[in-house]
Amino acid sequence: MAATIAKRQANRLPALLDAAAAHFAERGYHATTMRDIAQEAGVTPGAVYFHVPTKQALLLAVYAQGVDRIIGRFEKALEGQRDPNIRLRCAIMAHLEAILDASAYARVIVRVLPEDIPEATNELKLQRERYESRLRSLLAEVDLPAGRDPKLARLMLIGALNWTPVWYRKSAGSLDGIVNEYLASFGLSPTPLAGK
Amino acid sequence: MAATIAKRQANRLPALLDAAAAHFAERGYHATTMRDIAQEAGVTPGAVYFHVPTKQALLLAVYAQGVDRIIGRFEKALEGQRDPNIRLRCAIMAHLEAILDASAYARVIVRVLPEDIPEATNELKLQRERYESRLRSLLAEVDLPAGRDPKLARLMLIGALNWTPVWYRKSAGSLDGIVNEYLASFGLSPTPLAGK
DNA sequence: AAGCTTGCTAAACAATCGTTTAGTTAGCTA
DNA sequence: TAGCTAACTAAACGATTGTTTAGCAAGCTT
């Protein structure tokens, strides 16, 4: 009974989203075709439209999950951490792990810009804002050096973080060096890794 | 005679590159069609192929000029500046001006990533490297705070710079605030604007 | 067993893509 | 003036795009 249900409504939507995320993350939105996605998911192009009305809706679904996953790793990394500096460190590390290793969904957020799809720009920006507001409150906790603008500092950090996939190669050592460097740009010493 | 020559070989290639740069910068490579470019240049799609063999070649030409223009503004801004910190400040400002206001060509460098066009990735990376090596030698002059890695610091700066178009709005004040913030991330005081 | 719903396939749809082709015009040369 | 070349235009090319359609098989319901 449970097996038949599992077989029946055999929820292929997650698999379709996975396939879409993988392609959107690697090739971008416009360079990805519905046939690409269907093939990776092991179905016919027509079948995709049983689950999703348009290609744009597919992107929006992936985008929303991408933000969810980044925030998720975020909260998990912050759990139990009290020191604001360490919290920031954990957040940076979580973001980097998400977009560099863990999740194609998270990489889509970084690879596909809202402006790339004019008809969906507002919706995409809204999703992105969910994440950025979370980062904003986190940075508000930190004592920035004198003269630093929290808003600009945050935007700078996001830029640095999101550009990382452009140059990062997995072979080149751990993420700690990168995290420390980004922390140092806020005048924060790299040493407090005692948090873990 | 000179007039007829001017009319005859009426070099439309620059106009075509302008049109291509404008569209590539605003919509990206894949979302831009040859018909878009032709229309903006005021010619027939077929005419484009008299001057350029393929769409990819068009991008490469725009890309090369984009790097040229960034470097050009770069050198001009650095002219006569001796203080390494001020030189860095001028370079950051020049970069931001180039990609935010001045040149669609420069914006293409930031908007279209080498990985977006797999068949041209290497060539595009080569162009990009011309600029980054210039920035590398510039950052080598600067005395970074203890514990900073020059390479990572440079990559962080490039990331922050190139992500700026994503959030920057022209209405929101001058670029000085942004430049100062980026400088501050290197532990450099914002004050030495006496350079101008 | 009959009928309905869910989830798909195979095939086609019109539109649009990068690109090509054939023909045309204007100016230069001789 | 005749011919040549540079610089196009108009139209079409085949391929690919996002999407739709018609049909079918399997399970659920009654």
Side-chain angles (χ1 to χ4, degrees):
Chain A
M1 194 190 294
T4 56
I5 285 176
K7 213 172 194 180
R8 258 280 278 177
Q9 70 191 30
N11 214 353
R12 263 203 216 272
L13 186 62
L16 281 172
L17 294 183
D18 282 356
H23 273 89
F24 288 158
E26 198 175 338
R27 322 266 323 215
Y29 177 77
H30 291 291
T32 298
T33 73
M34 294 299 266
R35 286 166 176 83
D36 290 338
I37 296 168
Q39 185 170 17
E40 177 133 332
V43 295
T44 294
V48 179
Y49 287 87
F50 181 82
H51 300 275
V52 161
T54 62
K55 186 186 178 187
Q56 251 185 61
L58 205 43
L59 174 66
L60 285 173
V62 168
Y63 222 78
Q65 275 209 31
V67 173
D68 284 346
R69 296 198 181 192
I70 296 187
I71 294 182
R73 287 192 150 254
F74 222 81
E75 305 296 354
K76 202 166 195 174
L78 258 55
E79 232 167 41
Q81 301 290 358
R82 294 260 158 245
D83 183 290
N85 292 4
I86 295 184
R87 284 169 65 81
L88 179 60
R89 184 198 158 77
C90 291
I92 292 177
M93 178 63 90
H95 184 117
L96 285 181
E97 284 175 351
I99 66 176
L100 294 180
D101 296 324
S103 170
Y105 289 83
R107 235 164 313 166
V108 174
I109 311 295
V110 170
R111 171 77 189 250
V112 180
L113 300 184
E115 289 80 10
D116 287 353
I117 302 95
E119 313 87 15
T121 298
N122 288 339
E123 191 92 36
L124 295 175
K125 274 186 180 167
L126 232 87
Q127 293 295 336
R128 197 183 277 265
E129 170 61 20
R130 282 171 50 215
Y131 168 72
E132 298 198 12
S133 73
R134 192 68 194 76
L135 196 65
R136 185 158 40 228
S137 70
L138 206 83
L139 256 175
E141 303 172 1
V142 177
D143 275 327
L144 289 179
R148 297 297 293 269
D149 178 331
K151 183 184 170 185
L152 286 176
R154 174 180 48 90
L155 291 168
M156 192 196 77
L157 175 62
I158 292 178
L161 285 171
N162 288 352
W163 197 262
T164 315
V166 175
W167 55 265
Y168 175 76
R169 294 296 157 254
K170 267 180 187 163
S171 52
S174 82
L175 295 178
D176 278 303
I178 305 174
V179 175
N180 285 338
E181 191 66 32
Y182 291 178
L183 275 175
S185 78
F186 290 102
L188 301 178
S189 108
T191 29
L193 14 100
K196 179 66 180 297
Chain B
M1 193 189 296
T4 55
I5 286 176
K7 215 172 192 178
R8 260 277 279 178
Q9 72 192 32
N11 213 354
R12 261 201 217 272
L13 186 63
L16 281 172
L17 293 183
D18 282 356
H23 272 89
F24 287 158
E26 200 174 338
R27 322 266 321 217
Y29 177 77
H30 291 291
T32 298
T33 72
M34 294 298 267
R35 285 166 176 84
D36 289 337
I37 296 168
Q39 185 169 18
E40 177 133 331
V43 295
T44 291
V48 180
Y49 287 87
F50 181 83
H51 301 276
V52 161
T54 61
K55 187 186 178 187
Q56 252 186 58
L58 204 43
L59 173 66
L60 286 173
V62 168
Y63 222 78
Q65 274 207 33
V67 173
D68 286 345
R69 295 197 183 193
I70 296 188
I71 293 183
R73 287 190 151 255
F74 221 84
E75 306 295 354
K76 203 167 194 173
L78 258 53
E79 231 166 44
Q81 301 289 0
R82 294 257 157 248
D83 184 291
N85 292 4
I86 295 183
R87 285 170 64 82
L88 178 60
R89 186 199 156 78
C90 291
I92 292 177
M93 178 64 91
H95 184 117
L96 285 180
E97 285 176 350
I99 66 176
L100 294 179
D101 296 325
S103 169
Y105 288 83
R107 234 165 312 160
V108 174
I109 310 295
V110 171
R111 172 76 190 250
V112 180
L113 300 184
E115 288 80 11
D116 287 354
I117 301 93
E119 313 86 16
T121 298
N122 288 338
E123 191 93 35
L124 295 175
K125 274 187 179 169
L126 232 86
Q127 294 293 337
R128 195 182 279 264
E129 170 61 20
R130 284 171 49 215
Y131 168 73
E132 296 198 12
S133 72
R134 191 71 193 75
L135 196 65
R136 186 158 38 228
S137 70
L138 206 82
L139 256 176
E141 303 172 2
V142 177
D143 274 327
L144 290 179
R148 297 297 292 267
D149 178 331
K151 183 184 171 186
L152 286 176
R154 173 179 49 90
L155 291 168
M156 193 195 78
L157 175 62
I158 291 178
L161 286 170
N162 288 352
W163 198 261
T164 315
V166 175
W167 53 265
Y168 174 77
R169 292 298 157 252
K170 267 180 186 160
S171 53
S174 81
L175 295 178
D176 278 305
I178 304 174
V179 175
N180 285 338
E181 191 66 32
Y182 290 178
L183 277 174
S185 79
F186 291 102
L188 302 177
S189 106
T191 29
L193 14 100
K196 181 66 182 291

